[in-house]
Amino acid sequence: GFLLGFLPMNILMILFLRLPTLRRTRSYIKRRILEAGAKFRSQWKGALFIPVVAAIVGWFTNWLAVKMIFYPIIFLGVPLKQLVITNLYGIDVLQPLGFFGWQGIVPAKAAQMSDDIVNLVTNKLLSLSEAFGRLDPGVIASLMRYEVPVMGLDVGKEVITDELPIMNLALGVAEHTVPSLPPHVNEYLLAKQDAFMSGLTVELQSNVDRVLDLNELVVKAL
């Protein structure tokens, strides 16, 4: 009880001793406010100009910072030296700031960012095997039914050169003859193609991690 009665008295004593200091502080603050007001009244045009300049400078620096994140896509400056941080799948990850010039942060580090995004998605959200496991082989075969012949012809035209005239002849015959086959023959060929595509989808689902490197695919595409 003695301590509880002593504490308020102790606090009052401290406040009493510090009262002159508090009065001087209040007087100092009041004086500084009056001085600031007088200075503002004498130079009010310059004082009003400060926030305008600050807003313009802030807007410009923010705009420039955002631009420098994405542009320029190709290094702009004197191409003397640009530091290579690392290399991913044959693509350099570069330091945006060169010896005398600049390249946008995203273009300079596109390979690294792409690789990081793929790792984040496949590790945290959905793995490649899970994504392929959700594919319906029958639906894939149906969707690719009329695309596979076109893709086959395109691949054949790319692979076969003029040095193999007999192959060119065979490709031309297939391109013009197959569509004119009897309907039941075309249906038979399409059924065989559907079965092949369904089986291929099942095999991919079982071995997707061995046949497809998603990181390499995305990094090289971007």
Side-chain angles (χ1 to χ4, degrees), residues 68-85:
M68 291 179 71
I69 293 174
F70 300 99
Y71 299 100
I73 296 176
I74 304 299
F75 181 80
L76 180 63
V78 180
L80 296 177
K81 181 68 175 177
Q82 191 174 8
L83 179 64
V84 177
I85 300 173

Side-chain angles (χ1 to χ4, degrees), residues 206-222:
S206 303
N207 303 280
V208 63
D209 292 322
R210 291 165 50 190
V211 300
L212 178 63
D213 188 338
L214 187 60
N215 290 67
E216 181 178 6
L217 181 66
V218 173
V219 167
K220 289 186 175 180
L222 296 179

Side-chain angles (χ1 to χ4, degrees), residues 66-153:
V66 172
K67 282 290 184 181
M68 291 179 71
I69 293 174
F70 300 99
Y71 299 100
I73 296 176
I74 304 299
F75 181 80
L76 180 63
V78 180
L80 296 177
K81 181 68 175 177
Q82 191 174 8
L83 179 64
V84 177
I85 300 173
T86 186
N87 185 283
L88 291 173
Y89 305 103
I91 300 176
D92 291 334
V93 179
L94 303 170
Q95 174 64 249
L97 181 62
F99 182 76
F100 189 77
W102 178 263
Q103 182 180 8
I105 297 174
V106 171
K109 300 186 177 183
Q112 183 67 62
M113 295 175 67
S114 303
D115 188 62
D116 291 342
I117 290 172
V118 173
N119 290 331
L120 177 63
V121 172
T122 55
N123 293 331
K124 301 293 185 181
L125 299 178
L126 183 66
S127 69
L128 188 60
S129 58
E130 290 174 338
F132 267 77
R134 297 183 181 185
L135 298 177
D136 186 328
V139 173
I140 296 298
S142 176
L143 292 173
M144 298 297 294
R145 168 171 272 209
Y146 299 104
E147 296 297 328
V148 170
V150 177
M151 293 168 60
L153 287 173

